[in-house]
Amino acid sequence: GDSVTQMEGPVTLSEEAFLTINCTYTATGYPSLFWYVQYPGEGLQLLLKATKADDKGSNKGFEATYRKETTSFHLEKGSVQVSDSAVYFCALSAPGTYKYIFGTGTRLKVLA
Amino acid sequence: KAGVTQTPRYLIKTRGQQVTLSCSPISGHRSVSWYQQTPGQGLQFLFEYFSETQRNKGNFPGRFSGRQFSNSRSEMNVSTLELGDSALYLCASRPIRTDTTEAFFGQGTRLTVV
């Protein structure tokens, strides 16, 4: 079945460091891909999305490119801030299923 | 525009009881889905409704059920609660029928079963 694999956390970085969170997926067909972020005590907020191969999603300095050849959707940010500390979830939605399949989440901690 | 509203935010129930959680989607959104979040299993899909019809269901026992009303509001019910049902239950709404549109999540209902 469809699945999403994320790198294990937690990831601890100093402020202004470069961030990469790896995400790979397995799916039949052409899913849409998403990154969501969850702050403590909150629900999920959409960070960015890509709906077809080679699309690049971007928001708030975060970027991810839909790579069909490597079935990947890695999240990157050039310079993280303390306020980026949260749990990040990679997800896919396959056509016709009306649901998300989430990765296990990666906790990011940014130190001042 | 108001976001997805889930009520209540917190619940404590006893094993064997039943519980009903409520979700009001963003105005105009007709698709509502539910997810269970636990430390051990992560985020798992429960079910999705569109125009009062369930279009997909996750791999959960029949104790978990849901419905959607004509105003798109949705409820989920868990009967005969077990300790393992303790979780954060998240509701999400989408504006249209396709899978490419993102879902907007509520803050969740934290259910504790004792």
Side-chain angles (χ1 to χ4, degrees), chain B residues 6-24:
Chain B
Q6 291 188 244
T7 56
R9 289 291 309 278
Y10 302 93
L11 265 179
I12 300 176
K13 289 287 187 179
T14 303
R15 269 183 305 175
Q17 288 186 313
Q18 74 165 14
V19 67
T20 299
L21 312 183
S22 179
C23 172
S24 293

Side-chain angles (χ1 to χ4, degrees), chain A residues 32 36 38 41-44 46 49 51 89 93-100 102, chain B residues 9 35 37 43 45 48 55-56 88 90 94 97 99-103 105-107:
Chain A
S32 295
Y36 278 86
Q38 186 175 36
E42 300 290 321
L44 303 177
L46 178 71
K49 72 173 187 179
T51 59
F89 292 92
S93 181
T97 64
Y98 311 111
K99 69 177 185 182
Y100 284 159
F102 287 92
Chain B
R9 289 291 309 278
Y35 293 82
Q37 185 177 23
L43 281 153
F45 171 76
E48 191 266 359
R55 295 194 295 187
N56 201 352
L88 180 67
L90 292 167
R94 275 176 166 165
R97 304 181 69 168
D99 292 299
T100 59
T101 52
E102 62 269 25
F105 284 80
Q107 291 186 294

